[in-house]
Amino acid sequence: MDYETASARTNSIRKFYKSLFIFAIFAVLLIPDDIFGEKVINFHLFDRYTILGIWVFIIFVKAAKLFLFDSEWERNMIEKELNKEKKRIDY
């Protein structure tokens, strides 16, 4: 892994943790208002819980992209496909 790739990955990880931290702050500020006020959580279209749910989904997608399907995974898949193509040409 060269310096540019490592720097880009580190920057992506930093941005992910920053967005996770910002989400946590908003969740802590928004959720207790209903729980302590009404003692019941009501779900409505595009209320705070729907928005937080969409935000959680986006964070999960970013996490999967960052930690599961990173550049190393992509490089391995490219090498695997190139090896398949090479074996096919050899026959």
Side-chain angles (χ1 to χ4, degrees), residues 1 3-19 62 66-67:
M1 184 181 290
Y3 179 79
E4 287 182 22
T5 306
S7 177
R9 178 151 171 79
T10 303
N11 191 27
S12 296
I13 291 171
R14 182 183 55 82
K15 286 180 182 179
F16 172 74
Y17 285 128
K18 183 179 176 182
S19 65
K62 285 182 178 183
L66 185 61
F67 296 112

Side-chain angles (χ1 to χ4, degrees), residues 17-58:
Y17 285 128
K18 183 179 176 182
S19 65
L20 193 62
F21 180 72
I22 291 170
F23 169 78
I25 289 173
F26 274 96
V28 166
L29 293 174
L30 292 177
I31 290 176
D33 184 41
D34 278 350
I35 293 174
F36 295 120
E38 300 173 13
K39 309 247 189 240
V40 175
I41 297 175
N42 296 320
F43 291 97
H44 301 287
L45 186 61
F46 294 113
D47 67 347
R48 69 183 86 190
Y49 298 109
T50 306
I51 293 169
L52 288 176
I54 292 169
W55 200 349
V56 165
F57 178 74
I58 292 169

